[in-house]
């Protein structure tokens, strides 16, 4: 290796180290746990206890978007005895750190053999954004998603620089590793299938003679899990996609989400600086010895196409209710080709490169110093898009961000929750209902509702249901409850009936479905006459009758009836037919004339719930 190449290699490696340190420090400084992150941990608790990959024992509902993330935390918990929140935090932070390191090395690979000083660039811009550092932890799969994208980029860059080496073990291993990595894309997050699909299609075109080998490597892992998902859960997609109607279009909300992310930081300025950095990269590649590898423009073009299409998808579905979250992955991807910037020996080129690098640092400093100030809206105002980390710190009246499940006890909606839950368990009640105890000032509380004594006749199966409760904030309620308590939400992440409600027009993105309380209590072990006064008993009676009709019963059988080979095969059929489009009416009277075709209709099957292995 000559002197020039050593400088390029060493400066690229040091750039990767520098940006990794920034990622680790920035993520550690802002470490926290979100309510949505706690949702993942509830499934992990059930896995550890032996109840399966479910949110509520006895109900096969896939409440997490990322299959791999929950199993990574599960494996970590099997190895390590720390709290699940701590395991999730460390896994996410380590993955984020590795992601920016690998991404930088991948881009530095494109400059291989060129006499340049390399400086960190794209990763610095990304990490300067407060939400990028927030979601370096949070309990969600963003660190894993970044790592998957970074490894994809590294493999793609390596593949492109081996353009003239069609034989040998390294090009062959790179090709098939890249094919496998494309295949597992949607096991990380469903929308990453866009990345895996586009890159995989490119490989099939570029290596037409090896198409069957590429497919043989890429398909088995995702196909195996897809068959499992269809047979076990009775769905083609994660249940979260059903709950959030991920195929719907809300362009206006999506544009508002873009503005919410851009405006506080003038992100468009950073993207323009990055565009100049990209133009400089192209110019340096043409001027330096060796030119540019013939596959490099294709690799860069494909990765930029992935970022662009991903952004359009986020805008189309209406964005998100968390500030910046859903745009972090496409932004990270967009910045990959400029993860480093080259400083040439030529004086004019060196000055230009230094100027672009300095502009990027100045913008990054303003984004870090300016931050993203956030205050809770006034009482009665729409929450809209929130800074989730600050929101939960304010909503729990804490001096520091939430980290453990019990940190959420001080939230207004969890007032009296631990005490009333303990009472309901001790009395073997059927339901724990949240209610407005005082309107001004607002005081929320919880009320146990007794279990029906009916053990024979219609609805007798519901008497065997576990203690149930419903709250919009599914994470903090579920992680502060034992596994033998059935925790649901009115939006549908863990409740298939709610997930198949029609969307409410103009509602908050991600919160645009709502299952009325009378439906929730009808699907529990509460006697109609014992329901609280504010529950419409006539509607509850009609809803309970509707639950036993064929349309509902087929759904209940898919995720509640005991698993067997016949049930597995029936679920596959259900997932390919009515399971794709099934939707319910909010008005139970719509089912007044619906048929109940079985002699002894059943919508709940009692199952043993293991709690001995719980890791709360």
């Amino acid at each position: 290796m000559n002197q020039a190449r050593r400088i390029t290699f060493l400066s690229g490696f040091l750039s990767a180290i520098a940006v990794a340190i920034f990622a680790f420090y920035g993520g550690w400084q802002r470490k926290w746990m979100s309510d949505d992150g706690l949702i993942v941990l509830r499934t992990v608790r059930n896995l550890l206890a032996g109840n399966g990959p479910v949110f509520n024992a006895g109900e096969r509902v896939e409440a997490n978007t990322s299959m791999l993330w929950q199993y990574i935390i599960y494996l970590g918990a099997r190895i390590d005895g720390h709290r699940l929140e701590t395991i999730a935090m460390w896994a996410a932070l380590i993955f984020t750190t590795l992601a920016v390191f690998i991404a930088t090395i991948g881009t530095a690979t494109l400059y291989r053999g060129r006499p340049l000083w390399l400086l960190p660039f794209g990763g610095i811009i990304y990490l300067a954004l407060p939400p990028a550092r927030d979601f370096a932890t949070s309990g969600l799969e963003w660190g894993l998603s970044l790592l998957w994208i970074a490894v994809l980029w590294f493999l793609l860059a390596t593949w492109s620089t081996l353009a003239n080496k069609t034989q040998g073990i390294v090009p062959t291993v790179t090709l098939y590793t890249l094919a496998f990595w494309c295949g597992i894309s949607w096991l990380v997050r469903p929308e990453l299938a866009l990345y895996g699909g586009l890159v995989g299609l490119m490989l099939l075109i570029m290596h037409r003679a090896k198409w069957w080998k590429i497919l043989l490597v890429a398909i088995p892992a995702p196909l195996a899990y897809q068959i499992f998902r269809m047979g076990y859960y009775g769905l083609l997609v994660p249940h979260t996609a059903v709950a959030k109607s991920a195929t719907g279009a809300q362009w206006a909300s999506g544009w508002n989400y873009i503005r919410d992310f851009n405006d506080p930081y003038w992100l468009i300025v950073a993207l323009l600086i990055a565009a100049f950095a990209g133009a400089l990269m192209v110019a340096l590649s043409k001027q330096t010895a060796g030119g540019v590898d013939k596959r490099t423009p294709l690799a860069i073009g494909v990765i930029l196409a992935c970022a662009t299409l991903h952004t359009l998808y986020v805008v189309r579905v209406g964005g998100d209710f968390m500030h910046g979250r859903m745009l972090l992955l496409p932004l990270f991807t967009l910045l990959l080709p400029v993860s480093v910037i080259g400083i040439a020996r030529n004086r004019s080129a060196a000055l230009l490169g230094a100027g672009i690098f300095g502009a990027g640092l100045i913008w990054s400093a303003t984004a870090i110093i300016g931050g993203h100030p956030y205050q809770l809206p006034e009482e009665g105002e729409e929450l809209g898009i929130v800074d989730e980390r600050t929101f939960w710190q304010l909503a729990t009246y804490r001096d520091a961000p939430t980290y453990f499940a019990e940190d959420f006890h001080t939230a207004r909606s969890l007032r009296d929750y631990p005490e009333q839950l303990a009472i309901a368990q001790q009395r073997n009640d059927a339901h724990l209902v949240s209610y407005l105890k005082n309107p001004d000032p607002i005081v929320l509380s919880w009320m146990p509702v007794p279990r029906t004594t009916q053990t024979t006749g219609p609805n007798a199966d519901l008497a065997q249901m576990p203690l149930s409760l419903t709250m919009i904030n599914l994470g903090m309620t579920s992680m502060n409850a034992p596994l033998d308590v059935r925790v649901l939400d009115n939006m549908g992440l863990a409740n298939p009936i709610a997930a198949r409600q029609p969307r409410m027009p103009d509602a908050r993105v991600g919160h645009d479905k709502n299952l009325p309380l009378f439906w929730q209590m009808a699907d529990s072990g509460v006697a109609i006459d014992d329901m609280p006064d504010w529950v419409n008993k006539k509607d509850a009676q009609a809803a309970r009758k509707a639950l036993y009709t064929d349309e509902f019963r087929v759904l209940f059988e898919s995720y509640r009836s005991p698993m067997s080979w016949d049930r597995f095969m029936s679920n596959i059929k259900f997932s390919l037919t009515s399971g794709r489009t099934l939707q319910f009416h909010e008005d139970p009277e719509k089912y007044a004339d619906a048929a109940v075709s079985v002699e002894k209709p059943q919508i709940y099957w009692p199952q043993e719930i293991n709690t001995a292995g719980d890791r709360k």
Side-chain angles (χ1 to χ4, degrees):
M1 183 183 295
N2 61 34
Q3 181 68 17
R5 291 186 177 184
R6 279 197 295 268
I7 291 174
T8 304
F9 172 80
L10 181 60
S11 60
F13 181 76
L14 291 177
S15 294
I17 291 291
V19 76
I21 291 172
F22 183 15
F24 184 87
Y25 176 75
W28 171 262
Q29 188 184 47
R30 299 176 71 88
K31 63 183 183 295
W32 68 299
M33 174 60 65
S34 66
D35 176 73
D36 281 33
L38 294 177
I39 296 175
V40 181
L41 302 188
R42 171 75 172 199
T43 300
V44 175
R45 286 172 60 195
N46 272 304
L47 278 166
L48 291 168
N51 295 317
V54 298
F55 189 81
N56 289 306
E59 296 188 341
R60 295 182 300 274
V61 176
E62 189 179 20
N64 302 316
T65 303
S66 174
M67 182 279 288
L68 281 177
W69 180 234
Q70 66 188 23
Y71 282 105
I72 286 170
I73 301 174
Y74 166 73
L75 289 175
R78 294 296 299 266
I79 297 170
D80 185 86
H82 283 88
R83 291 277 299 263
L84 295 180
E85 294 95 327
T86 301
I87 293 170
M89 185 279 293
W90 276 109
L93 185 56
I94 290 171
F95 288 164
T96 300
T97 304
L98 286 174
V100 295
F101 177 85
I102 292 171
T104 306
I105 292 294
T107 305
T109 300
L110 301 178
Y111 289 97
R112 183 181 298 162
R114 297 181 175 88
L116 300 169
W117 280 95
L118 301 180
L119 296 174
F121 186 75
I124 300 296
I125 289 178
Y126 173 78
L127 291 166
L129 293 162
R133 286 172 280 132
D134 288 352
F135 288 99
T137 54
S138 83
L140 295 170
E141 67 276 4
W142 256 246
L144 175 63
S145 301
L146 291 176
L147 180 59
W148 183 88
I149 293 172
V151 172
L152 180 76
W153 171 242
F154 174 80
L155 292 171
L156 200 54
T158 303
W159 170 84
S160 75
T161 57
L162 296 175
N164 299 318
K165 299 178 182 179
T166 56
Q167 304 297 325
I169 186 66
V170 175
T172 300
V173 170
T174 300
L175 171 62
Y176 293 122
T177 303
L178 184 53
F180 172 80
W181 204 250
C182 290
I184 66 170
S185 56
W186 65 276
L187 301 182
V188 179
R189 274 191 68 85
E191 61 264 44
L192 293 183
L194 167 67
Y195 296 66
L198 285 180
V199 175
L201 180 61
M202 181 198 69
L203 293 181
L204 290 172
I205 294 173
M206 296 295 292
H207 300 274
R208 289 184 290 274
K210 300 178 180 179
W211 68 270
W212 65 273
K213 294 180 181 179
I214 293 172
L215 294 179
L216 189 63
V217 171
I219 289 179
L223 178 61
Y225 187 75
Q226 180 63 15
I227 293 172
F228 171 78
R229 170 181 281 150
M230 294 163 66
Y232 189 77
Y233 298 111
L235 287 175
L236 280 171
V237 296
H239 189 257
T240 52
V242 179
K244 295 189 177 184
S245 297
T247 58
Q250 300 186 71
W251 291 100
S253 295
W255 174 245
N256 183 54
Y257 190 63
I258 289 276
R259 291 287 306 273
D260 179 80
F261 191 35
N262 171 78
D263 293 359
Y265 322 107
W266 284 81
L267 182 58
I268 187 65
V269 173
L271 294 178
L272 288 173
I273 297 171
F276 280 113
L280 177 63
M281 173 191 178
V282 172
L284 291 176
S285 297
K286 291 180 178 179
Q287 293 173 9
T288 53
V292 61
D293 294 308
K294 62 181 181 180
R295 291 180 184 168
T296 299
L298 179 59
I300 294 174
V302 167
I303 210 69
L304 293 180
C306 290
T308 303
L309 292 174
H310 191 175
T311 302
L312 288 174
Y313 171 75
V314 172
V315 175
R316 182 183 186 276
V317 299
D320 189 32
F321 62 94
M322 297 188 197
H323 170 68
R325 178 179 67 151
M326 296 303 292
L327 291 169
L328 291 176
L329 299 184
L331 175 64
F332 178 79
T333 306
L334 196 64
L335 293 170
L336 285 174
V338 291
S339 292
V340 292
I341 189 170
I343 306 296
R345 293 185 177 184
N346 177 284
R347 190 170 184 273
S348 59
L351 288 174
L352 180 60
I356 294 173
F357 177 71
L361 286 185
I362 292 171
W363 178 89
S364 297
T366 60
I368 293 171
I369 294 170
H372 185 245
Y374 176 80
Q375 293 293 327
L376 291 175
E378 295 295 328
E379 200 69 59
E381 289 185 4
E382 174 66 40
L383 278 178
I385 302 169
V386 303
D387 185 320
E388 191 78 351
R389 180 176 181 269
T390 306
F391 170 83
W392 281 115
Q393 181 178 338
L394 297 174
T396 53
Y397 309 98
R398 290 172 49 81
D399 295 329
T402 51
Y403 186 76
F404 293 113
E406 55 267 27
D407 293 343
F408 290 83
H409 282 180
T410 51
R412 183 166 63 182
S413 54
L414 285 194
R415 182 182 181 275
D416 295 337
Y417 177 74
E419 296 81 6
Q420 295 300 320
L421 178 59
I423 292 171
Q425 284 187 284
Q426 184 180 16
R427 300 192 325 198
N428 191 29
D429 286 326
H431 211 287
L432 186 66
V433 61
S434 175
Y435 71 103
L436 181 64
K437 189 174 184 177
N438 189 67
D440 189 18
I442 291 178
V443 177
L444 302 173
S445 190
W446 293 80
M447 173 189 295
V449 183
R451 183 176 300 276
T452 180
T453 57
Q454 180 182 357
T455 56
T456 60
N459 314 141
D461 55 325
L462 295 182
Q464 303 175 73
M465 269 192 168
L467 171 64
S468 303
L469 63 94
T470 301
M471 169 59 65
I472 189 172
N473 304 120
L474 193 60
M476 64 185 188
T477 47
S478 66
M479 278 298 286
N480 284 294
L483 293 181
D484 55 0
V485 175
R486 178 171 166 259
V487 182
L488 302 170
D489 65 312
N490 56 305
M491 297 185 305
L493 292 180
N495 190 338
I497 306 177
R500 294 176 183 276
Q501 291 293 306
R503 298 177 78 167
M504 298 180 294
D506 302 322
R508 187 184 181 205
V509 174
H511 296 74
D512 51 7
K513 291 185 179 180
N514 178 58
L515 187 69
L517 182 58
F518 63 82
W519 278 105
Q520 300 166 25
M521 300 204 76
D523 187 33
S524 74
V526 178
I528 299 295
D529 291 339
D530 291 333
M531 292 182 182
D533 293 339
W534 59 85
V535 178
N536 188 310
K537 294 180 174 59
K538 179 181 177 182
D539 286 341
Q541 182 65 55
R544 180 161 289 177
K545 180 181 178 182
L547 293 178
Y548 285 88
T549 60
D550 288 348
E551 195 169 3
F552 283 91
R553 183 177 54 80
V554 170
L555 175 66
F556 287 132
E557 287 177 344
S558 72
Y559 73 95
R560 284 181 181 170
S561 63
M563 180 50 61
S564 64
W565 177 250
D566 288 342
R567 171 45 47 199
F568 191 90
M569 297 306 295
S570 295
N571 275 2
I572 290 178
K573 180 180 178 182
F574 176 72
S575 71
L576 294 170
T577 53
S578 59
R580 296 184 300 108
T581 57
L582 182 61
Q583 192 175 62
F584 296 123
H585 298 285
E586 180 181 314
D587 182 4
E589 295 297 334
K590 296 284 186 179
Y591 302 93
D593 299 324
V596 179
S597 62
V598 294
E599 294 181 5
K600 295 182 178 180
Q602 184 175 7
I603 61 172
Y604 181 75
W605 292 259
Q607 298 184 28
E608 181 179 351
I609 299 175
N610 300 312
T611 58
D614 188 11
R615 280 275 298 277
K616 187 177 177 182

